[in-house]
Amino acid sequence: MAKRRIVLIGYRGSGKSSVGMALSRLTGQNFLDTDQLIEEAAGKKIPQIFEAEGEAGFRELEQHVIARIPSGAGIVSTGGGAVIHLDNVRLLRMNSIIVFLNSSPEVIYKRIHKTNRPSLTGLSPRDEIKQVLNERMPLYRSAADIVIDTSTTTSEEAASLILNILKNGIFNKEKRIGLLSSVMKTDIPQGEKMLLKKLSGVHDIFLYGILGYPCMHSKSPVIYNRLFADYAMPAHYTWFEHKNPKEFFASLPGTGVRGLSVTIPHKETVIPFLDEVKHDAQSIGAVNTVLIQDDRKFGFNTDWKGIYRPLEGAEGDVAVILGAGGAAAAAVYAVSMRGFTPVILNRTPDRAKNLARKTGAETGAINDIGKYRPDLLINATPVGMGSDPNTPVPISSLKPGMKVFDLVYTPRDTPLLQAALAAGCFVIPGTEMFIHQLAEQFRILTGIDTPVLRIREMFA
Ligand code: NAP
């Protein structure tokens, strides 16, 4: 197995320094504690840094120190808030295994209540621990490869547990071989088959993939694997083309699969198999991202962010959404968050009514488009996809100044976007949705905030 850095993250009092020292003793590797490096760099103790420069000054020093940690093998313990700055996560992830040390709030309180660190919130120490731990939990989960509960273990026990996982592998060999041999029976490229065969025996490579049926057309594996290479992450992303989500999820425990993108037709059907679903995904009724940690599965929806972000600065009252499927549900949520009043027009008006039941939006048939003069028009139907020369609405309904967002992204310049440009509209191609939803998904699945520009460049 390649020698990787072991990086410890978690709340103050979760045992990062003492477990780090125990790991250093057991492995003979160097140990670096970022809090100690910060104190050395500042020539002051942490409470004095907070007093003189506030939390912002401390975080700046922390970023400076983390950026200078050597990327070779070694043990690194980080401050509890290091994960707040996603650039720290990017730097810490390089050639590393990140271990999240988790303890219960009460145990943390007992360990740290006598220390003289300043309060971050002004709350009582017990309430502060609960609140801040709760706020940071999604960041710890996204950034970590492995979770160890240190509530009842000694430092030596936790260190041995970590080394044991790293020595024996992050997965159960039989289970991983079982999963990968079923993947190899699907229509994946020959090169991917050879790679997966190799990965069946590599101990410390985490797996990610796209779950859908079909999903072989997806560009996500190429983009993800390039990003993993950019960030020197020990991970590989593949295609999980599977008809039955229940069977698929049953095959996952112990395989080292850490994250999934979910596509048609499973965005709704995966929900019953998840342990937690974020509130925006619940409102939309669809999950396109699953983070897996300790065999617990967390569901998210990043499709709406893929529509919301390109609409930055968009103003107006009415947004007409064409379609009433999963993409339309994400669009309704996104435009509402941008302050538009959504109107849902669909080929089958009853389906539009169904979607509107959750949102209270006005509905109708696509032919009703003439009744509206929307500020924003979003196509969430497949009309115009591939070699389809049609536009989902008559060209006469496209007015100068209107914003037109076509969620179809193959081709990039759809017949609707071409007609909209000719009519003097502002246009947003569906590739922007794909790129922004993927950036958000990558952040959730790895803790790294990758520049949208980098994904756009790969998508071209
Ligand atoms: P879906 O759940 O199958 O919904 C498709 C919707 O399109 C339905 O409302 C359907 O109407 C309507 N429709 C289908 N064929 C039509 C036609 N010939 N004329 C008029 N309406 C038609 O699909 P989805 O997941 O929402 O995806 C919709 C489109 O969004 C996809 O084709 C894809 O191109 C795009 N998308 C893009 C991204 C991205 O990242 N850019 C992500 C997801 C989806 P009925 O209810 O009458 O059947």
Side-chain angles (χ1 to χ4, degrees):
M1 182 166 63
K3 275 235 163 192
R4 300 198 191 282
R5 259 189 337 196
I6 302 174
V7 175
L8 305 175
I9 61 170
Y11 203 85
R12 198 156 60 85
S14 59
K16 294 175 302 248
S17 300
S18 51
V19 174
M21 284 189 272
L23 280 168
S24 173
R25 275 195 300 280
L26 290 169
T27 60
Q29 292 189 42
N30 279 342
F31 171 59
L32 291 175
D33 182 331
T34 59
D35 278 353
Q36 204 180 324
L37 294 175
I38 292 167
E39 290 184 338
E40 282 167 20
K44 295 180 210 164
K45 292 282 175 201
I46 289 174
Q48 279 88 55
I49 302 174
F50 267 79
E51 208 176 294
E53 337 237 350
E55 190 185 351
F58 173 80
R59 297 279 166 231
E60 206 174 295
L61 269 171
E62 187 174 51
Q63 280 184 284
H64 178 82
V65 159
I66 287 176
R68 278 152 190 81
I69 294 176
S71 65
I75 318 292
V76 179
S77 157
T78 59
V83 290
I84 295 171
H85 284 283
L86 299 186
D87 208 43
N88 289 343
V89 178
R90 174 183 70 79
L91 292 161
L92 292 168
R93 268 210 172 278
M94 294 251 170
N95 196 34
S96 306
I97 293 286
I98 302 200
V99 184
F100 168 32
L101 302 185
N102 193 18
S103 287
S104 70
E106 193 50 32
V107 169
I108 291 176
Y109 171 75
K110 284 191 181 133
R111 287 182 188 152
I112 67 173
H113 76 283
K114 286 195 181 129
T115 57
N116 62 347
R117 288 286 182 89
S119 164
L120 297 171
T121 58
L123 294 169
S124 72
R126 267 199 173 85
D127 287 344
E128 172 163 305
I129 292 167
K130 270 192 209 144
Q131 180 177 306
V132 178
L133 190 58
N134 205 26
E135 280 165 11
R136 288 182 188 166
M137 193 54 83
L139 301 171
Y140 290 137
R141 279 198 193 121
S142 290
D145 296 309
I146 295 170
V147 189
I148 301 284
D149 191 332
T150 50
S151 299
T152 56
T153 56
T154 64
S155 309
E156 262 66 24
E157 283 166 351
S160 303
L161 216 55
I162 294 167
L163 291 178
N164 225 17
I165 294 173
L166 296 183
K167 182 164 160 245
N168 296 323
I170 51 156
F171 55 83
N172 172 305
K173 201 166 177 194
E174 269 172 36
K175 289 191 172 162
R176 176 167 282 193
I177 290 174
L179 174 75
L180 292 187
S181 49
S182 77
V183 175
M184 282 187 259
K185 284 184 197 136
T186 63
D187 207 11
I188 56 171
Q190 198 53 33
E192 180 70 5
K193 279 189 190 166
M194 284 158 64
L195 193 64
L196 291 185
K197 212 166 171 188
K198 224 166 142 190
L199 288 182
S200 303
V202 182
H203 273 185
D204 61 349
I205 300 288
F206 289 90
L207 286 178
Y208 292 77
I210 178 155
L211 170 65
Y213 193 84
C215 66
M216 297 312 301
H217 60 278
S218 171
K219 296 191 177 191
S220 297
V222 172
I223 296 175
Y224 264 88
N225 286 326
R226 285 196 197 157
L227 291 174
F228 290 151
D230 282 357
Y231 300 119
M233 274 186 67
H236 180 72
Y237 187 109
T238 192
W239 290 268
F240 294 127
E241 192 167 86
H242 217 291
K243 248 186 200 166
N244 184 329
K246 187 176 181 186
E247 270 176 20
F248 177 73
F249 280 114
S251 73
L252 282 188
T255 56
V257 173
R258 199 169 125 54
L260 300 170
S261 315
V262 182
T263 189
I264 294 172
H266 297 324
K267 287 187 187 182
E268 291 96 33
T269 51
V270 295
I271 291 176
F273 308 109
L274 305 178
D275 296 283
E276 271 181 40
V277 175
K278 218 183 150 214
H279 59 86
D280 48 6
Q282 273 176 21
S283 297
I284 293 165
V287 160
N288 77 325
T289 305
V290 178
L291 174 69
I292 303 168
Q293 205 162 60
D294 249 1
D295 292 332
R296 281 176 62 73
K297 299 174 281 298
F298 303 91
F300 304 82
N301 185 301
T302 67
D303 279 337
W304 80 266
K305 289 267 175 79
I307 300 167
Y308 177 84
R309 287 192 182 151
L311 289 175
E312 178 148 23
E315 283 175 11
D317 294 328
V318 174
V320 165
I321 287 118
L322 307 172
V332 170
Y333 192 87
V335 300
S336 305
M337 294 297 281
R338 281 273 177 229
F340 287 89
T341 303
V343 175
I344 309 165
L345 304 183
N346 193 40
R347 182 175 62 180
T348 313
D350 274 353
R351 211 171 155 204
K353 277 190 196 139
N354 211 19
L355 174 58
R357 213 171 287 147
K358 285 192 209 152
T359 58
E362 200 175 321
T363 65
I366 291 190
N367 294 341
D368 295 334
I369 184 73
K371 288 192 208 159
Y372 301 94
R373 202 192 152 97
D375 304 290
L376 171 64
L377 177 72
I378 298 187
N379 175 35
T381 77
V383 177
M385 208 162 136
S387 53
D388 178 3
N390 296 308
T391 56
V393 286
I395 291 172
S396 57
S397 55
L398 304 169
K399 306 289 183 207
M402 195 187 259
K403 218 169 199 131
V404 179
F405 194 167
D406 196 345
L407 304 191
V408 171
Y409 64 96
T410 44
R412 181 184 182 280
D413 299 314
T414 60
L416 174 66
L417 292 187
Q418 289 179 33
L421 261 184
C425 306
F426 298 104
V427 300
I428 308 174
T431 45
E432 286 303 295
M433 173 183 177
F434 183 84
I435 290 162
H436 282 275
Q437 70 75 25
L438 194 142
E440 175 66 3
Q441 185 174 74
F442 193 77
R443 189 194 61 72
I444 290 169
L445 297 183
T446 66
I448 296 173
D449 199 8
T450 192
V452 165
L453 266 176
R454 175 70 181 123
I455 305 174
R456 194 176 286 129
E457 168 189 287
M458 286 189 272
F459 201 79

